[in-house]
PDB file of all heavy atoms in Angstrom:
ATOM      1  N   ASP A   4      67.596-127.867 -24.798  1.00  0.00           N
ATOM      2  CA  ASP A   4      68.928-127.280 -24.718  1.00  0.00           C
ATOM      3  C   ASP A   4      69.727-127.863 -23.558  1.00  0.00           C
ATOM      4  O   ASP A   4      70.946-127.713 -23.497  1.00  0.00           O
ATOM      5  CB  ASP A   4      68.833-125.760 -24.558  1.00  0.00           C
ATOM      6  CG  ASP A   4      68.268-125.090 -25.803  1.00  0.00           C
ATOM      7  OD1 ASP A   4      68.533-125.606 -26.909  1.00  0.00           O
ATOM      8  OD2 ASP A   4      67.565-124.077 -25.668  1.00  0.00           O
ATOM      9  N   ALA A   5      69.052-128.501 -22.614  1.00  0.00           N
ATOM     10  CA  ALA A   5      69.724-129.100 -21.466  1.00  0.00           C
ATOM     11  C   ALA A   5      70.337-130.439 -21.868  1.00  0.00           C
ATOM     12  O   ALA A   5      69.869-131.090 -22.803  1.00  0.00           O
ATOM     13  CB  ALA A   5      68.729-129.298 -20.325  1.00  0.00           C
ATOM     14  N   PRO A   6      71.386-130.875 -21.173  1.00  0.00           N
ATOM     15  CA  PRO A   6      71.933-132.213 -21.432  1.00  0.00           C
ATOM     16  C   PRO A   6      70.858-133.278 -21.282  1.00  0.00           C
ATOM     17  O   PRO A   6      70.046-133.234 -20.360  1.00  0.00           O
ATOM     18  CB  PRO A   6      73.016-132.355 -20.352  1.00  0.00           C
ATOM     19  CG  PRO A   6      73.413-130.954 -20.026  1.00  0.00           C
ATOM     20  CD  PRO A   6      72.147-130.150 -20.143  1.00  0.00           C
ATOM     21  N   GLN A   7      70.861-134.240 -22.194  1.00  0.00           N
ATOM     22  CA  GLN A   7      69.828-135.276 -22.232  1.00  0.00           C
ATOM     23  C   GLN A   7      70.336-136.560 -21.572  1.00  0.00           C
ATOM     24  O   GLN A   7      71.342-137.125 -22.000  1.00  0.00           O
ATOM     25  CB  GLN A   7      69.438-135.562 -23.687  1.00  0.00           C
ATOM     26  CG  GLN A   7      69.044-134.340 -24.485  1.00  0.00           C
ATOM     27  CD  GLN A   7      67.707-133.775 -24.046  1.00  0.00           C
ATOM     28  OE1 GLN A   7      66.730-134.499 -23.922  1.00  0.00           O
ATOM     29  NE2 GLN A   7      67.669-132.473 -23.814  1.00  0.00           N
ATOM     30  N   ILE A   8      69.621-137.002 -20.559  1.00  0.00           N
ATOM     31  CA  ILE A   8      69.992-138.210 -19.834  1.00  0.00           C
ATOM     32  C   ILE A   8      68.936-139.282 -20.083  1.00  0.00           C
ATOM     33  O   ILE A   8      67.741-139.015 -19.944  1.00  0.00           O
ATOM     34  CB  ILE A   8      70.096-137.956 -18.315  1.00  0.00           C
ATOM     35  CG1 ILE A   8      70.879-136.674 -18.017  1.00  0.00           C
ATOM     36  CG2 ILE A   8      70.695-139.175 -17.619  1.00  0.00           C
ATOM     37  CD1 ILE A   8      72.309-136.685 -18.461  1.00  0.00           C
ATOM     38  N   LEU A   9      69.366-140.490 -20.425  1.00  0.00           N
ATOM     39  CA  LEU A   9      68.454-141.612 -20.604  1.00  0.00           C
ATOM     40  C   LEU A   9      68.650-142.597 -19.458  1.00  0.00           C
ATOM     41  O   LEU A   9      69.760-143.108 -19.259  1.00  0.00           O
ATOM     42  CB  LEU A   9      68.722-142.319 -21.939  1.00  0.00           C
ATOM     43  CG  LEU A   9      67.944-143.615 -22.193  1.00  0.00           C
ATOM     44  CD1 LEU A   9      66.439-143.377 -22.188  1.00  0.00           C
ATOM     45  CD2 LEU A   9      68.393-144.263 -23.506  1.00  0.00           C
ATOM     46  N   ILE A  10      67.586-142.852 -18.697  1.00  0.00           N
ATOM     47  CA  ILE A  10      67.622-143.819 -17.596  1.00  0.00           C
ATOM     48  C   ILE A  10      67.002-145.128 -18.065  1.00  0.00           C
ATOM     49  O   ILE A  10      65.861-145.142 -18.530  1.00  0.00           O
ATOM     50  CB  ILE A  10      66.841-143.298 -16.374  1.00  0.00           C
ATOM     51  CG1 ILE A  10      67.376-141.936 -15.911  1.00  0.00           C
ATOM     52  CG2 ILE A  10      66.904-144.308 -15.228  1.00  0.00           C
ATOM     53  CD1 ILE A  10      66.485-141.273 -14.869  1.00  0.00           C
ATOM     54  N   ILE A  11      67.746-146.218 -17.933  1.00  0.00           N
ATOM     55  CA  ILE A  11      67.229-147.554 -18.250  1.00  0.00           C
ATOM     56  C   ILE A  11      67.219-148.332 -16.938  1.00  0.00           C
ATOM     57  O   ILE A  11      68.251-148.832 -16.492  1.00  0.00           O
ATOM     58  CB  ILE A  11      68.091-148.264 -19.314  1.00  0.00           C
ATOM     59  CG1 ILE A  11      68.281-147.375 -20.555  1.00  0.00           C
ATOM     60  CG2 ILE A  11      67.451-149.593 -19.710  1.00  0.00           C
ATOM     61  CD1 ILE A  11      69.224-147.955 -21.593  1.00  0.00           C
ATOM     62  N   GLU A  12      66.068-148.398 -16.317  1.00  0.00           N
ATOM     63  CA  GLU A  12      65.925-148.942 -14.956  1.00  0.00           C
ATOM     64  C   GLU A  12      64.518-149.488 -14.786  1.00  0.00           C
ATOM     65  O   GLU A  12      63.542-148.809 -15.110  1.00  0.00           O
ATOM     66  CB  GLU A  12      66.205-147.817 -13.938  1.00  0.00           C
ATOM     67  CG  GLU A  12      65.729-148.053 -12.530  1.00  0.00           C
ATOM     68  CD  GLU A  12      66.501-149.152 -11.831  1.00  0.00           C
ATOM     69  OE1 GLU A  12      67.716-148.980 -11.602  1.00  0.00           O
ATOM     70  OE2 GLU A  12      65.869-150.184 -11.520  1.00  0.00           O
ATOM     71  N   ASP A  13      64.381-150.716 -14.279  1.00  0.00           N
ATOM     72  CA  ASP A  13      63.059-151.329 -14.213  1.00  0.00           C
ATOM     73  C   ASP A  13      62.336-151.099 -12.887  1.00  0.00           C
ATOM     74  O   ASP A  13      61.153-151.422 -12.774  1.00  0.00           O
ATOM     75  CB  ASP A  13      63.143-152.831 -14.505  1.00  0.00           C
ATOM     76  CG  ASP A  13      63.870-153.593 -13.405  1.00  0.00           C
ATOM     77  OD1 ASP A  13      64.872-153.063 -12.893  1.00  0.00           O
ATOM     78  OD2 ASP A  13      63.443-154.711 -13.076  1.00  0.00           O
ATOM     79  N   GLU A  14      63.009-150.541 -11.876  1.00  0.00           N
ATOM     80  CA  GLU A  14      62.358-150.291 -10.592  1.00  0.00           C
ATOM     81  C   GLU A  14      61.806-148.872 -10.568  1.00  0.00           C
ATOM     82  O   GLU A  14      62.579-147.906 -10.513  1.00  0.00           O
ATOM     83  CB  GLU A  14      63.344-150.489  -9.450  1.00  0.00           C
ATOM     84  CG  GLU A  14      63.850-151.917  -9.311  1.00  0.00           C
ATOM     85  CD  GLU A  14      64.719-152.085  -8.083  1.00  0.00           C
ATOM     86  OE1 GLU A  14      64.296-151.639  -6.994  1.00  0.00           O
ATOM     87  OE2 GLU A  14      65.820-152.632  -8.223  1.00  0.00           O
ATOM     88  N   PRO A  15      60.459-148.708 -10.590  1.00  0.00           N
ATOM     89  CA  PRO A  15      59.865-147.368 -10.659  1.00  0.00           C
ATOM     90  C   PRO A  15      60.323-146.416  -9.557  1.00  0.00           C
ATOM     91  O   PRO A  15      60.601-145.241  -9.855  1.00  0.00           O
ATOM     92  CB  PRO A  15      58.354-147.641 -10.583  1.00  0.00           C
ATOM     93  CG  PRO A  15      58.208-149.021 -11.145  1.00  0.00           C
ATOM     94  CD  PRO A  15      59.429-149.765 -10.672  1.00  0.00           C
ATOM     95  N   PRO A  16      60.439-146.834  -8.284  1.00  0.00           N
ATOM     96  CA  PRO A  16      60.867-145.871  -7.254  1.00  0.00           C
ATOM     97  C   PRO A  16      62.269-145.317  -7.501  1.00  0.00           C
ATOM     98  O   PRO A  16      62.508-144.122  -7.328  1.00  0.00           O
ATOM     99  CB  PRO A  16      60.814-146.689  -5.954  1.00  0.00           C
ATOM    100  CG  PRO A  16      59.870-147.801  -6.237  1.00  0.00           C
ATOM    101  CD  PRO A  16      60.076-148.133  -7.680  1.00  0.00           C
ATOM    102  N   ILE A  17      63.186-146.186  -7.935  1.00  0.00           N
ATOM    103  CA  ILE A  17      64.549-145.722  -8.208  1.00  0.00           C
ATOM    104  C   ILE A  17      64.559-144.833  -9.435  1.00  0.00           C
ATOM    105  O   ILE A  17      65.214-143.778  -9.467  1.00  0.00           O
ATOM    106  CB  ILE A  17      65.504-146.923  -8.388  1.00  0.00           C
ATOM    107  CG1 ILE A  17      65.627-147.677  -7.057  1.00  0.00           C
ATOM    108  CG2 ILE A  17      66.874-146.453  -8.879  1.00  0.00           C
ATOM    109  CD1 ILE A  17      66.483-148.913  -7.145  1.00  0.00           C
TER     110      ILE A  17
END
Side-chain angles (χ1 to χ4, degrees):
D4 293 327
Q7 307 289 311
I8 314 297
L9 173 60
I10 304 170
I11 308 175
E12 163 68 65
D13 68 320
E14 296 186 49
I17 294 177

